[in-house]
């Protein structure tokens, strides 16, 4: 088969790789129908995630059809159309029993495209299939469903839930890329008073408005002052960092009010300064996190009922074999206007609900 293979920082290619097969009785092999590229994949290519070894097929988000299952798999069978979670769960270890699947001790967690071959290929082996894939309803399009593999659960769990967004809050989201936009969409579920989006790119600030931001700010034009003006000098109740840079993290700590929450979602490839000399007295809570995907069933139901604007994030589509072109377009988002790119040559025919 073909897959997109990492060969070290700055080097990757679409090339022949061995077909995956069943290694454990809990495995499934899935034919990839739709796949997307994550900002984390760009961090891997920059060398920010050294655990990824050269020779690894990248990708951790996909929709596809089950073609083979191990003998212990009970919840899916060949022919089923499924969503692949970006996080794998053994279901037995201490963390999985607590719903903290991202920290799985039993060989799960974030492994696809990280520690084992991932989804940016024609086929992928999925460990612990019973807990790591989700059967899809016929009414949900693949390009909508694939965004539930990572970015919507990540934005919702690591940003909105960790940040404890509540009705009436002022929420500042720094970074209006795909994660930031998904954070805007899911923060709105809690009826905040206002959402303020901060970014450098005018196109992404405009996208933030379309997704429900009440105000936007250019990161170069004193966004902390806008936040102060809109909150009577108090500051934001919640600040969500959705970029992964020292400056954006520090901006979040400056705009949050005393007693507020900073939820870091961005993937950081280097250290960021923590100004405890300013923060220690302000009762600020700072959270970090890898998504657990425990919210995926809930988000899946909401997407199926049309309550989440998933497909509106997709700006570019490509055949699966144009992976290198898709990466180029996604990496140059400031020039191309890319939010999410979806690859996959097979279109799913939507089932028509019956009365």
């Amino acid at each position: 088969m073909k897959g997109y293979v990492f060969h070290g920082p700055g080097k990757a290619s679409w090339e022949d790789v061995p077909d995956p097969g069943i290694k454990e009785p809990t495995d499934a092999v899935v034919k990839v129908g739709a796949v997307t590229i994550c900002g984390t994949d760009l961090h891997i290519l920059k060398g920010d995630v050294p655990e990824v070894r050269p020779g690894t097929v990248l990708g951790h988000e996909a929709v596809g059809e089950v073609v083979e299952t191990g003998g212990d798999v009970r919840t899916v069978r060949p022919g089923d159309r499924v969503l692949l979670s970006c996080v794998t769960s053994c279901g037995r270890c201490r963390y999985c029993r607590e719903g903290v699947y991202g920290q799985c001790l039993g060989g799960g967690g974030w492994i696809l495209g990280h520690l084992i071959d991932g989804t940016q290929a024609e086929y992928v082996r999925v460990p612990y299939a019973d807990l790591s894939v989700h059967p899809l309803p016929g009414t949900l399009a693949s390009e909508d469903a694939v965004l539930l593999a990572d970015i919507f659960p990540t934005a919702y769990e690591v940003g909105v839930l960790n940040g404890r967004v509540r009705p009436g809050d002022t929420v500042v989201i720094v970074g209006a890329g795909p994660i930031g936009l998904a954070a805007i969409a899911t923060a709105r579920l809690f009826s905040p008073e206002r959402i303020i989006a901060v970014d450098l790119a005018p196109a992404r600030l405009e996208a933030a408005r379309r997704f429900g931001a009440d105000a936007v700010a250019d990161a170069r034009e004193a966004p902390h002052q806008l936040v102060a003006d809109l909150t009577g000098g108090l500051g934001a109740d919640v600040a969500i960092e959705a970029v992964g840079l020292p400056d954006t993290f520090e901006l979040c700590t400056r705009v949050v009010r005393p007693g507020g929450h900073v939820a870091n979602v961005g993937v950081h490839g280097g250290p960021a300064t923590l100004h405890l000399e300013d923060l220690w007295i302000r009762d600020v809570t700072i959270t970090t996190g890898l998504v657990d995907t425990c919210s995926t069933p809930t988000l899946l139901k909401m997407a199926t009922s049309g309550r989440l604007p998933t497909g509106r994030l997709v700006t570019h589509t490509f055949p699966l074999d144009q992976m290198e072109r898709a990466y180029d377009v996604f990496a140059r988002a400031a020039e191309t206007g890319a939010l999410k790119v979806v690859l996959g040559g097979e279109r799913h025919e939507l089932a028509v609900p019956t009365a």
Side-chain angles (χ1 to χ4, degrees), residues 220-234:
R220 293 161 294 204
E221 297 179 1
H224 58 281
Q225 187 58 55
L226 173 64
V227 174
D229 291 343
L230 291 176
T231 60
L234 184 64

Side-chain angles (χ1 to χ4, degrees), residues 9-339:
K11 296 182 289 185
S13 64
W14 181 252
E15 61 188 65
D16 290 326
V17 293
D19 291 343
I22 299 295
K23 293 184 177 180
E24 301 290 341
T26 52
D27 290 349
V29 174
V30 176
K31 180 182 180 182
V32 174
V35 66
T36 184
I37 301 170
C38 180
T40 303
D41 297 320
L42 299 183
H43 280 283
I44 292 170
L45 286 175
K46 291 177 183 177
D48 291 345
V49 189
E51 299 86 1
V52 182
R53 294 175 297 181
T56 301
V57 175
L58 296 182
H60 51 269
E61 305 162 272
V63 166
E65 180 183 320
V66 176
V67 296
E68 186 179 4
T69 58
D72 289 349
V73 176
R74 297 289 181 266
T75 60
V76 293
R77 60 186 179 181
D80 286 349
R81 179 168 166 263
V82 295
L83 168 69
L84 280 63
S85 174
C86 66
V87 164
T88 301
S89 167
C90 79
R92 298 189 301 268
C93 72
R94 171 182 173 176
Y95 287 113
C96 287
R97 287 177 178 272
E98 295 175 354
V100 188
Y101 307 137
Q103 304 301 324
C104 175
L105 298 172
W110 172 37
I111 57 174
L112 290 172
H114 180 208
L115 305 180
I116 67 172
D117 286 339
T119 60
Q120 290 170 5
E122 294 175 312
Y123 294 86
V124 59
R125 178 181 72 91
V126 184
Y128 300 119
D130 277 335
L131 294 168
S132 305
V133 302
H134 301 268
L136 287 173
T139 54
L140 188 61
S142 293
E143 71 176 26
D144 291 323
V146 73
L147 300 188
L148 300 173
D150 184 357
I151 66 163
F152 269 87
T154 294
Y156 182 57
E157 295 175 19
V158 186
V160 175
L161 295 185
N162 278 2
R164 298 187 183 179
V165 176
R166 295 291 183 267
D169 278 355
T170 291
V171 181
V172 174
I173 298 173
V174 179
I179 289 288
L181 296 176
I184 292 171
T186 52
R188 284 173 55 83
L189 300 173
F190 292 87
S191 300
E193 179 183 7
R194 64 175 69 85
I195 297 174
I196 304 167
V198 180
D199 203 286
L200 292 169
R204 291 198 163 186
L205 292 176
E206 180 56 36
R209 287 191 184 276
R210 294 198 304 271
F211 272 75
D214 301 288
V216 299
D218 189 313
R220 293 161 294 204
E221 297 179 1
H224 58 281
Q225 187 58 55
L226 173 64
V227 174
D229 291 343
L230 291 176
T231 60
L234 184 64
D237 300 284
V238 182
I240 298 175
E241 200 284 332
V243 181
L245 293 173
D247 287 349
T248 52
F249 174 77
E250 290 186 30
L251 175 59
C252 286
T253 64
R254 290 200 303 273
V255 300
V256 72
R257 67 167 174 81
H261 290 77
V262 173
N264 184 89
V265 187
V267 177
H268 289 262
T273 301
L274 181 63
H275 287 288
L276 284 177
E277 74 278 12
D278 297 324
L279 294 171
W280 74 270
I281 201 171
R282 295 174 54 207
D283 296 341
V284 172
T285 298
I286 298 174
T287 57
T288 65
L290 173 66
V291 64
D292 295 311
T293 66
C294 57
S295 67
T296 301
T298 297
L299 296 174
L300 184 55
K301 287 190 290 186
M302 296 183 67
T304 302
S305 65
R307 300 300 180 98
L308 284 181
T310 49
R312 285 165 50 192
L313 273 170
V314 178
T315 54
H316 296 73
T317 58
F318 301 89
L320 192 60
D321 61 3
Q322 292 190 17
M323 190 69 68
E324 292 173 347
R325 181 183 170 205
Y327 260 90
D328 177 64
V329 168
F330 186 60
R332 296 187 297 108
E335 303 166 44
T336 64
L339 293 175

